[in-house]
Amino acid sequence: MLSMTNTATLEKPLSPLAIQLNEALKAQDPASPLNRQTICDRCPGAAQAIFTYERGDIYLCGHHMRANLATVLDGPVTSYWIEPSELGHIRGVGVPEQDFTRAGDGLTDA
């Protein structure tokens, strides 16, 4: 019996936002410029992204970054850094796998 669906037609092309973020992640420094004391400009949550404009920086937590990402990137951003794990919800963005393995028995630093 022949299937009525074709899997090739079910795949959607990547959005322009996903393509832009994939390129940015390739060039992004893996070391975060943020620390635990850096807070979101909209709430008391920890900042997960920094967007640099000519007039200054905007710090956003994960949920404010996700809610405003397309709008923020449409503006005159000179540079930005986003915690890669915060981008996993966007279809097509290649978020690098994190390696949580440790040497030793896990109880000591050995």
Side-chain angles (χ1 to χ4, degrees):
M1 181 171 174
L2 294 174
S3 174
M4 296 301 289
T5 60
N6 183 351
T7 56
T9 60
L10 295 178
E11 294 180 20
K12 294 181 182 177
L14 291 180
S15 69
L17 178 61
I19 294 169
Q20 179 182 5
L21 290 172
N22 281 326
E23 291 300 316
L25 282 173
K26 289 177 189 174
Q28 179 172 284
D29 184 6
S32 173
L34 306 169
N35 59 42
R36 291 178 182 240
Q37 287 78 33
T38 310
I39 61 169
C40 177
D41 288 340
R42 303 287 296 160
C43 72
Q48 299 293 321
I50 178 173
F51 299 90
T52 303
Y53 293 86
E54 289 181 9
R55 293 186 176 206
D57 297 335
I58 295 177
Y59 298 93
L60 296 175
C61 64
H63 77 273
H64 282 117
M65 183 273 304
R66 288 188 299 275
N68 299 296
L69 184 60
T71 304
V72 172
L73 291 178
D74 281 343
V77 177
T78 57
S79 68
Y80 59 91
W81 188 93
I82 300 172
E83 177 62 43
S85 63
E86 294 293 333
L87 299 172
H89 75 287
I90 300 174
R91 186 184 60 78
V93 175
V95 178
E97 296 273 337
Q98 294 184 351
D99 183 14
F100 294 109
T101 59
R102 292 182 163 209
D105 59 8
L107 301 175
T108 63
D109 289 335

